[in-house]
Amino acid sequence: MTHGTVIIGAGQAGHTTAMHLRAAGYDAPITLIGAEAAVPYQRPPLSKRYLLREIGQEHLTLGSPAGRAKPEVELRTGERVAGIDVARQAVVRADGSTLRYDNLVLATGARARRLPDTLVNGVQGVHVLRTLADADALSGALDEAKSVLVLGGGFIGLEFASVAARLGRHVTVVERDRLLQRVVSEQAADHLRSEHLRNGVEVLEGRELRSLDGENARVAAGVLTDGTRIDADLVLAGIGAEPEVELAAQAGIAVDNGITVDDLGRTSAPSVYAVGDCANFAWQGGRLRLESVQNAEYMAKAAAAHIAGRTPPARPAPWFWSDQYDVRLQIVGLTGDGDGVIRRTTEDGAGFSLWHYRGDRLIAVEALNDPGAFLTARRLLDRGISPACHHLADESVSIRALAAQALGRATS
């Protein structure tokens, strides 16, 4: 008997896995199980246009795979899985019943990290932003708020800060290191900091929260470790996310900052794959876990191809984006271990790009209101091609021309 593929997690990674299995000609049963009641939806707009009410929930949906793929995918929403029996190749449901599988895909994602209870002191009005329910709760709270405290200067924290500032709230961002320490260069962070300051946001870096004070069980202020008191009737904890690995760990599947997988998404258990935010994969001699739509979709496509007996696609360079005020930041590659950077300004002066090198090899590009540079950089990095630094530094030559020369040399 063919049991088919069971996918746990109905977010971007799980939804994409199901759709690409069908696109690859896989005709065995597919069951997609989601813990949330909502049909699969996009998360990135939650911290941007959805909170601004520029779009409604109907614009978030990825749609139910049922009816869009033949044979249809069985979508089960609002259902939590209790465990995995690797030996029997079965998923254990909350009521104790089991669902057998030939292949299992873990697309369990990540959950927002929350403040410890010792800091919260039992007050209400402290939020996180990860799910549609989180966004809806936060939207309602913003309607009543006057002063907002954002803890964490990463993408979520800063995107929310820009929304709150645009809605006329007084906003303070507190970051223990510098803004966007883990994800962007200092030069890009400087530009975004200036945008927040220009829009009236107070930015406090190198500071930490000591506790939250309340009045009538509602948050009233945050107190920092240096004694600074910040009035706030709404707090967002944008302090990162933790991979959802409990099901895998309880089943004896290898876990290390995510579920450990190979290039095809295979875990340490037979016929079990992991994709998206919950997965930790090999990268340039080390291991990496990425929280991005691009990575979720790539890993889903690779796992689906392998399950369906097709050739998996080559891994592209990782890329990300963030919208804050009128600035769109687009990043391709990872800047962490670069040792040189070249800045180029757009012809109209409205944007710029930062080209990061390690030695003579291009490793990443950050584009701020410069989509052309971003698209060109993706082509180059996907092919492992690096324009010469001294050519790139000459702004009299267009990036497109430099890329064409580099691509021509690589194919000649």
Side-chain angles (χ1 to χ4, degrees), residues 95-136:
D95 63 3
S97 64
T98 58
L99 181 64
R100 299 291 302 277
Y101 63 81
D102 297 316
N103 295 285
L104 174 65
V105 180
L106 301 176
T108 48
R111 59 178 172 269
R113 187 175 286 115
R114 295 179 181 271
L115 291 174
D117 292 341
T118 53
L119 296 182
V120 176
N121 289 328
V123 299
Q124 301 298 309
V126 182
H127 296 259
V128 295
L129 181 51
R130 178 78 186 182
T131 68
L132 180 59
D134 292 337
D136 286 339

mmCIF file of all heavy atoms in Angstrom, residues 95-136:
data_model
loop_
_atom_site.group_PDB
_atom_site.id
_atom_site.type_symbol
_atom_site.label_atom_id
_atom_site.label_comp_id
_atom_site.label_asym_id
_atom_site.label_seq_id
_atom_site.Cartn_x
_atom_site.Cartn_y
_atom_site.Cartn_z
ATOM 1 N N ASP A 95 -5.041 12.872 18.988
ATOM 2 C CA ASP A 95 -6.008 11.932 19.563
ATOM 3 C C ASP A 95 -5.459 10.520 19.694
ATOM 4 O O ASP A 95 -6.184 9.585 20.063
ATOM 5 C CB ASP A 95 -7.297 11.916 18.744
ATOM 6 C CG ASP A 95 -7.081 11.434 17.306
ATOM 7 O OD1 ASP A 95 -5.945 11.060 16.951
ATOM 8 O OD2 ASP A 95 -8.066 11.448 16.529
ATOM 9 N N GLY A 96 -4.175 10.343 19.369
ATOM 10 C CA GLY A 96 -3.539 9.038 19.482
ATOM 11 C C GLY A 96 -3.572 8.219 18.214
ATOM 12 O O GLY A 96 -2.882 7.188 18.117
ATOM 13 N N SER A 97 -4.362 8.601 17.238
ATOM 14 C CA SER A 97 -4.392 7.881 15.965
ATOM 15 C C SER A 97 -3.121 8.162 15.184
ATOM 16 O O SER A 97 -2.388 9.111 15.469
ATOM 17 C CB SER A 97 -5.615 8.293 15.143
ATOM 18 O OG SER A 97 -5.543 9.666 14.799
ATOM 19 N N THR A 98 -2.832 7.321 14.205
ATOM 20 C CA THR A 98 -1.595 7.470 13.437
ATOM 21 C C THR A 98 -1.893 7.655 11.960
ATOM 22 O O THR A 98 -2.944 7.245 11.452
ATOM 23 C CB THR A 98 -0.677 6.248 13.618
ATOM 24 O OG1 THR A 98 -1.372 5.062 13.197
ATOM 25 C CG2 THR A 98 -0.238 6.115 15.074
ATOM 26 N N LEU A 99 -0.945 8.264 11.296
ATOM 27 C CA LEU A 99 -1.006 8.498 9.860
ATOM 28 C C LEU A 99 0.315 8.008 9.280
ATOM 29 O O LEU A 99 1.377 8.573 9.572
ATOM 30 C CB LEU A 99 -1.218 9.989 9.578
ATOM 31 C CG LEU A 99 -1.325 10.434 8.127
ATOM 32 C CD1 LEU A 99 -2.569 9.821 7.481
ATOM 33 C CD2 LEU A 99 -1.394 11.954 8.043
ATOM 34 N N ARG A 100 0.253 6.935 8.506
ATOM 35 C CA ARG A 100 1.477 6.346 7.951
ATOM 36 C C ARG A 100 2.007 7.182 6.803
ATOM 37 O O ARG A 100 1.263 7.913 6.139
ATOM 38 C CB ARG A 100 1.201 4.916 7.460
ATOM 39 C CG ARG A 100 0.744 3.952 8.539
ATOM 40 C CD ARG A 100 1.846 3.633 9.539
ATOM 41 N NE ARG A 100 3.006 3.060 8.883
ATOM 42 C CZ ARG A 100 3.126 1.744 8.551
ATOM 43 N NH1 ARG A 100 2.129 0.906 8.816
ATOM 44 N NH2 ARG A 100 4.216 1.292 7.969
ATOM 45 N N TYR A 101 3.306 7.067 6.566
ATOM 46 C CA TYR A 101 3.928 7.813 5.472
ATOM 47 C C TYR A 101 5.007 6.974 4.798
ATOM 48 O O TYR A 101 5.608 6.093 5.418
ATOM 49 C CB TYR A 101 4.540 9.122 5.974
ATOM 50 C CG TYR A 101 5.678 8.972 6.974
ATOM 51 C CD1 TYR A 101 6.985 8.682 6.561
ATOM 52 C CD2 TYR A 101 5.450 9.132 8.343
ATOM 53 C CE1 TYR A 101 8.026 8.552 7.477
ATOM 54 C CE2 TYR A 101 6.484 9.004 9.268
ATOM 55 C CZ TYR A 101 7.766 8.711 8.827
ATOM 56 O OH TYR A 101 8.791 8.564 9.739
ATOM 57 N N ASP A 102 5.224 7.244 3.517
ATOM 58 C CA ASP A 102 6.405 6.736 2.820
ATOM 59 C C ASP A 102 7.540 7.747 2.943
ATOM 60 O O ASP A 102 8.711 7.378 3.058
ATOM 61 C CB ASP A 102 6.098 6.487 1.340
ATOM 62 C CG ASP A 102 5.038 5.416 1.140
ATOM 63 O OD1 ASP A 102 5.117 4.378 1.826
ATOM 64 O OD2 ASP A 102 4.123 5.645 0.326
ATOM 65 N N ASN A 103 7.164 9.012 2.902
ATOM 66 C CA ASN A 103 8.114 10.115 3.119
ATOM 67 C C ASN A 103 7.448 11.133 4.039
ATOM 68 O O ASN A 103 6.253 11.405 3.922
ATOM 69 C CB ASN A 103 8.477 10.797 1.791
ATOM 70 C CG ASN A 103 9.222 9.870 0.850
ATOM 71 O OD1 ASN A 103 10.402 9.597 1.040
ATOM 72 N ND2 ASN A 103 8.519 9.366 -0.155
ATOM 73 N N LEU A 104 8.264 11.687 4.919
ATOM 74 C CA LEU A 104 7.785 12.702 5.844
ATOM 75 C C LEU A 104 8.625 13.957 5.663
ATOM 76 O O LEU A 104 9.863 13.883 5.621
ATOM 77 C CB LEU A 104 7.896 12.216 7.292
ATOM 78 C CG LEU A 104 7.559 13.225 8.392
ATOM 79 C CD1 LEU A 104 6.096 13.619 8.338
ATOM 80 C CD2 LEU A 104 7.906 12.637 9.772
ATOM 81 N N VAL A 105 7.977 15.117 5.557
ATOM 82 C CA VAL A 105 8.673 16.399 5.427
ATOM 83 C C VAL A 105 8.328 17.257 6.635
ATOM 84 O O VAL A 105 7.150 17.543 6.886
ATOM 85 C CB VAL A 105 8.292 17.129 4.127
ATOM 86 C CG1 VAL A 105 9.034 18.459 4.034
ATOM 87 C CG2 VAL A 105 8.590 16.260 2.913
ATOM 88 N N LEU A 106 9.351 17.645 7.378
ATOM 89 C CA LEU A 106 9.168 18.532 8.525
ATOM 90 C C LEU A 106 9.384 19.966 8.050
ATOM 91 O O LEU A 106 10.486 20.350 7.680
ATOM 92 C CB LEU A 106 10.148 18.179 9.641
ATOM 93 C CG LEU A 106 10.032 16.746 10.183
ATOM 94 C CD1 LEU A 106 11.126 16.480 11.215
ATOM 95 C CD2 LEU A 106 8.664 16.502 10.785
ATOM 96 N N ALA A 107 8.305 20.726 8.060
ATOM 97 C CA ALA A 107 8.353 22.141 7.676
ATOM 98 C C ALA A 107 7.771 22.945 8.835
ATOM 99 O O ALA A 107 6.901 23.800 8.653
ATOM 100 C CB ALA A 107 7.561 22.366 6.389
ATOM 101 N N THR A 108 8.273 22.650 10.022
ATOM 102 C CA THR A 108 7.686 23.167 11.263
ATOM 103 C C THR A 108 8.049 24.611 11.550
ATOM 104 O O THR A 108 7.479 25.240 12.445
ATOM 105 C CB THR A 108 8.117 22.282 12.447
ATOM 106 O OG1 THR A 108 9.540 22.061 12.386
ATOM 107 C CG2 THR A 108 7.413 20.935 12.395
ATOM 108 N N GLY A 109 9.011 25.176 10.820
ATOM 109 C CA GLY A 109 9.318 26.597 10.935
ATOM 110 C C GLY A 109 9.997 26.969 12.233
ATOM 111 O O GLY A 109 10.766 26.202 12.822
ATOM 112 N N ALA A 110 9.707 28.170 12.698
ATOM 113 C CA ALA A 110 10.305 28.710 13.922
ATOM 114 C C ALA A 110 9.239 29.486 14.677
ATOM 115 O O ALA A 110 8.218 29.873 14.114
ATOM 116 C CB ALA A 110 11.500 29.607 13.590
ATOM 117 N N ARG A 111 9.471 29.703 15.947
ATOM 118 C CA ARG A 111 8.548 30.490 16.772
ATOM 119 C C ARG A 111 9.273 31.707 17.305
ATOM 120 O O ARG A 111 10.497 31.678 17.523
ATOM 121 C CB ARG A 111 7.996 29.656 17.934
ATOM 122 C CG ARG A 111 9.075 29.125 18.858
ATOM 123 C CD ARG A 111 8.484 28.343 20.032
ATOM 124 N NE ARG A 111 9.545 27.684 20.786
ATOM 125 C CZ ARG A 111 9.971 26.450 20.548
ATOM 126 N NH1 ARG A 111 9.410 25.727 19.589
ATOM 127 N NH2 ARG A 111 10.949 25.924 21.265
ATOM 128 N N ALA A 112 8.527 32.762 17.527
ATOM 129 C CA ALA A 112 9.117 33.989 18.053
ATOM 130 C C ALA A 112 9.645 33.756 19.466
ATOM 131 O O ALA A 112 8.973 33.148 20.297
ATOM 132 C CB ALA A 112 8.080 35.106 18.057
ATOM 133 N N ARG A 113 10.833 34.251 19.710
ATOM 134 C CA ARG A 113 11.399 34.169 21.057
ATOM 135 C C ARG A 113 10.702 35.201 21.942
ATOM 136 O O ARG A 113 10.525 36.353 21.560
ATOM 137 C CB ARG A 113 12.903 34.436 21.001
ATOM 138 C CG ARG A 113 13.616 34.216 22.312
ATOM 139 C CD ARG A 113 15.128 34.376 22.176
ATOM 140 N NE ARG A 113 15.730 33.237 21.490
ATOM 141 C CZ ARG A 113 16.331 33.301 20.312
ATOM 142 N NH1 ARG A 113 16.424 34.469 19.671
ATOM 143 N NH2 ARG A 113 16.853 32.231 19.761
ATOM 144 N N ARG A 114 10.322 34.803 23.141
ATOM 145 C CA ARG A 114 9.592 35.679 24.049
ATOM 146 C C ARG A 114 10.473 36.139 25.204
ATOM 147 O O ARG A 114 11.474 35.491 25.538
ATOM 148 C CB ARG A 114 8.344 34.966 24.598
ATOM 149 C CG ARG A 114 7.329 34.665 23.501
ATOM 150 C CD ARG A 114 6.110 33.940 24.038
ATOM 151 N NE ARG A 114 5.169 33.651 22.954
ATOM 152 C CZ ARG A 114 4.206 34.467 22.569
ATOM 153 N NH1 ARG A 114 4.034 35.630 23.183
ATOM 154 N NH2 ARG A 114 3.390 34.139 21.581
ATOM 155 N N LEU A 115 10.105 37.243 25.794
ATOM 156 C CA LEU A 115 10.826 37.748 26.956
ATOM 157 C C LEU A 115 10.639 36.804 28.133
ATOM 158 O O LEU A 115 9.553 36.244 28.330
ATOM 159 C CB LEU A 115 10.309 39.127 27.352
ATOM 160 C CG LEU A 115 10.598 40.296 26.400
ATOM 161 C CD1 LEU A 115 9.884 41.547 26.905
ATOM 162 C CD2 LEU A 115 12.090 40.544 26.288
ATOM 163 N N PRO A 116 11.671 36.630 28.961
ATOM 164 C CA PRO A 116 11.502 35.807 30.156
ATOM 165 C C PRO A 116 10.485 36.425 31.109
ATOM 166 O O PRO A 116 10.336 37.651 31.176
ATOM 167 C CB PRO A 116 12.896 35.789 30.791
ATOM 168 C CG PRO A 116 13.790 36.551 29.909
ATOM 169 C CD PRO A 116 13.029 37.151 28.806
ATOM 170 N N ASP A 117 9.791 35.573 31.852
ATOM 171 C CA ASP A 117 8.773 36.046 32.796
ATOM 172 C C ASP A 117 9.358 37.010 33.826
ATOM 173 O O ASP A 117 8.665 37.907 34.303
ATOM 174 C CB ASP A 117 8.130 34.860 33.512
ATOM 175 C CG ASP A 117 7.296 33.999 32.576
ATOM 176 O OD1 ASP A 117 6.925 34.500 31.489
ATOM 177 O OD2 ASP A 117 7.017 32.831 32.919
ATOM 178 N N THR A 118 10.626 36.813 34.156
ATOM 179 C CA THR A 118 11.247 37.680 35.168
ATOM 180 C C THR A 118 11.346 39.126 34.704
ATOM 181 O O THR A 118 11.424 40.042 35.527
ATOM 182 C CB THR A 118 12.653 37.163 35.513
ATOM 183 O OG1 THR A 118 13.407 36.997 34.303
ATOM 184 C CG2 THR A 118 12.573 35.823 36.240
ATOM 185 N N LEU A 119 11.360 39.348 33.383
ATOM 186 C CA LEU A 119 11.392 40.712 32.859
ATOM 187 C C LEU A 119 9.997 41.280 32.659
ATOM 188 O O LEU A 119 9.767 42.476 32.807
ATOM 189 C CB LEU A 119 12.152 40.755 31.527
ATOM 190 C CG LEU A 119 13.638 40.387 31.545
ATOM 191 C CD1 LEU A 119 14.223 40.539 30.148
ATOM 192 C CD2 LEU A 119 14.395 41.262 32.517
ATOM 193 N N VAL A 120 9.047 40.407 32.328
ATOM 194 C CA VAL A 120 7.699 40.864 32.013
ATOM 195 C C VAL A 120 6.927 41.269 33.269
ATOM 196 O O VAL A 120 6.090 42.183 33.235
ATOM 197 C CB VAL A 120 6.937 39.782 31.229
ATOM 198 C CG1 VAL A 120 5.487 40.181 30.968
ATOM 199 C CG2 VAL A 120 7.642 39.494 29.902
ATOM 200 N N ASN A 121 7.173 40.578 34.366
ATOM 201 C CA ASN A 121 6.513 40.898 35.641
ATOM 202 C C ASN A 121 4.989 40.789 35.577
ATOM 203 O O ASN A 121 4.267 41.491 36.286
ATOM 204 C CB ASN A 121 6.885 42.313 36.120
ATOM 205 C CG ASN A 121 8.326 42.405 36.583
ATOM 206 O OD1 ASN A 121 8.868 41.424 37.104
ATOM 207 N ND2 ASN A 121 8.949 43.557 36.398
ATOM 208 N N GLY A 122 4.498 39.937 34.693
ATOM 209 C CA GLY A 122 3.061 39.668 34.647
ATOM 210 C C GLY A 122 2.207 40.727 33.989
ATOM 211 O O GLY A 122 0.974 40.638 34.024
ATOM 212 N N VAL A 123 2.797 41.749 33.378
ATOM 213 C CA VAL A 123 1.986 42.810 32.780
ATOM 214 C C VAL A 123 1.470 42.395 31.406
ATOM 215 O O VAL A 123 2.080 41.575 30.711
ATOM 216 C CB VAL A 123 2.779 44.128 32.661
ATOM 217 C CG1 VAL A 123 3.220 44.613 34.029
ATOM 218 C CG2 VAL A 123 3.985 43.962 31.728
ATOM 219 N N GLN A 124 0.357 42.973 31.004
ATOM 220 C CA GLN A 124 -0.213 42.760 29.683
ATOM 221 C C GLN A 124 0.291 43.850 28.736
ATOM 222 O O GLN A 124 0.754 44.902 29.158
ATOM 223 C CB GLN A 124 -1.739 42.799 29.760
ATOM 224 C CG GLN A 124 -2.334 41.756 30.693
ATOM 225 C CD GLN A 124 -2.029 40.347 30.253
ATOM 226 O OE1 GLN A 124 -2.256 39.980 29.096
ATOM 227 N NE2 GLN A 124 -1.502 39.542 31.163
ATOM 228 N N GLY A 125 0.175 43.581 27.432
ATOM 229 C CA GLY A 125 0.583 44.568 26.440
ATOM 230 C C GLY A 125 1.935 44.296 25.818
ATOM 231 O O GLY A 125 2.493 45.153 25.134
ATOM 232 N N VAL A 126 2.467 43.073 26.058
ATOM 233 C CA VAL A 126 3.751 42.673 25.481
ATOM 234 C C VAL A 126 3.469 41.708 24.330
ATOM 235 O O VAL A 126 2.797 40.681 24.519
ATOM 236 C CB VAL A 126 4.653 42.007 26.527
ATOM 237 C CG1 VAL A 126 6.002 41.636 25.909
ATOM 238 C CG2 VAL A 126 4.839 42.925 27.731
ATOM 239 N N HIS A 127 3.964 42.022 23.148
ATOM 240 C CA HIS A 127 3.625 41.270 21.946
ATOM 241 C C HIS A 127 4.855 40.694 21.262
ATOM 242 O O HIS A 127 5.976 41.174 21.452
ATOM 243 C CB HIS A 127 2.903 42.177 20.942
ATOM 244 C CG HIS A 127 1.582 42.686 21.429
ATOM 245 N ND1 HIS A 127 0.379 42.158 21.034
ATOM 246 C CD2 HIS A 127 1.276 43.699 22.284
ATOM 247 C CE1 HIS A 127 -0.607 42.810 21.610
ATOM 248 N NE2 HIS A 127 -0.084 43.751 22.376
ATOM 249 N N VAL A 128 4.614 39.684 20.436
ATOM 250 C CA VAL A 128 5.589 39.202 19.463
ATOM 251 C C VAL A 128 4.914 39.281 18.100
ATOM 252 O O VAL A 128 3.697 39.493 18.004
ATOM 253 C CB VAL A 128 6.051 37.755 19.762
ATOM 254 C CG1 VAL A 128 6.819 37.697 21.074
ATOM 255 C CG2 VAL A 128 4.873 36.788 19.767
ATOM 256 N N LEU A 129 5.696 39.103 17.040
ATOM 257 C CA LEU A 129 5.132 39.167 15.689
ATOM 258 C C LEU A 129 5.724 38.059 14.838
ATOM 259 O O LEU A 129 6.854 38.153 14.367
ATOM 260 C CB LEU A 129 5.411 40.534 15.058
ATOM 261 C CG LEU A 129 4.866 40.759 13.640
ATOM 262 C CD1 LEU A 129 3.389 40.410 13.546
ATOM 263 C CD2 LEU A 129 5.110 42.201 13.207
ATOM 264 N N ARG A 130 4.935 37.002 14.684
ATOM 265 C CA ARG A 130 5.362 35.879 13.858
ATOM 266 C C ARG A 130 4.203 35.344 13.012
ATOM 267 O O ARG A 130 4.381 35.033 11.843
ATOM 268 C CB ARG A 130 5.910 34.766 14.763
ATOM 269 C CG ARG A 130 6.359 33.511 14.040
ATOM 270 C CD ARG A 130 7.704 33.690 13.397
ATOM 271 N NE ARG A 130 8.079 32.531 12.581
ATOM 272 C CZ ARG A 130 9.237 32.432 11.931
ATOM 273 N NH1 ARG A 130 10.127 33.400 12.018
ATOM 274 N NH2 ARG A 130 9.502 31.387 11.202
ATOM 275 N N THR A 131 3.035 35.233 13.636
ATOM 276 C CA THR A 131 1.881 34.616 12.980
ATOM 277 C C THR A 131 0.819 35.655 12.629
ATOM 278 O O THR A 131 0.876 36.805 13.072
ATOM 279 C CB THR A 131 1.247 33.559 13.894
ATOM 280 O OG1 THR A 131 0.657 34.217 15.032
ATOM 281 C CG2 THR A 131 2.284 32.548 14.378
ATOM 282 N N LEU A 132 -0.167 35.205 11.872
ATOM 283 C CA LEU A 132 -1.297 36.066 11.530
ATOM 284 C C LEU A 132 -2.039 36.494 12.790
ATOM 285 O O LEU A 132 -2.447 37.657 12.918
ATOM 286 C CB LEU A 132 -2.235 35.320 10.580
ATOM 287 C CG LEU A 132 -3.491 36.054 10.106
ATOM 288 C CD1 LEU A 132 -3.136 37.342 9.379
ATOM 289 C CD2 LEU A 132 -4.323 35.143 9.217
ATOM 290 N N ALA A 133 -2.196 35.585 13.745
ATOM 291 C CA ALA A 133 -2.858 35.931 15.003
ATOM 292 C C ALA A 133 -2.059 36.988 15.765
ATOM 293 O O ALA A 133 -2.637 37.910 16.354
ATOM 294 C CB ALA A 133 -3.042 34.679 15.857
ATOM 295 N N ASP A 134 -0.726 36.869 15.739
ATOM 296 C CA ASP A 134 0.119 37.884 16.380
ATOM 297 C C ASP A 134 -0.115 39.257 15.738
ATOM 298 O O ASP A 134 -0.233 40.271 16.429
ATOM 299 C CB ASP A 134 1.605 37.533 16.223
ATOM 300 C CG ASP A 134 2.026 36.300 16.993
ATOM 301 O OD1 ASP A 134 1.347 35.941 17.973
ATOM 302 O OD2 ASP A 134 3.041 35.694 16.606
ATOM 303 N N ALA A 135 -0.152 39.268 14.409
ATOM 304 C CA ALA A 135 -0.314 40.536 13.688
ATOM 305 C C ALA A 135 -1.673 41.162 13.978
ATOM 306 O O ALA A 135 -1.785 42.380 14.146
ATOM 307 C CB ALA A 135 -0.131 40.311 12.186
ATOM 308 N N ASP A 136 -2.707 40.338 14.044
ATOM 309 C CA ASP A 136 -4.038 40.870 14.327
ATOM 310 C C ASP A 136 -4.096 41.464 15.741
ATOM 311 O O ASP A 136 -4.680 42.536 15.949
ATOM 312 C CB ASP A 136 -5.085 39.772 14.164
ATOM 313 C CG ASP A 136 -5.352 39.435 12.704
ATOM 314 O OD1 ASP A 136 -5.060 40.287 11.839
ATOM 315 O OD2 ASP A 136 -5.841 38.325 12.430
#
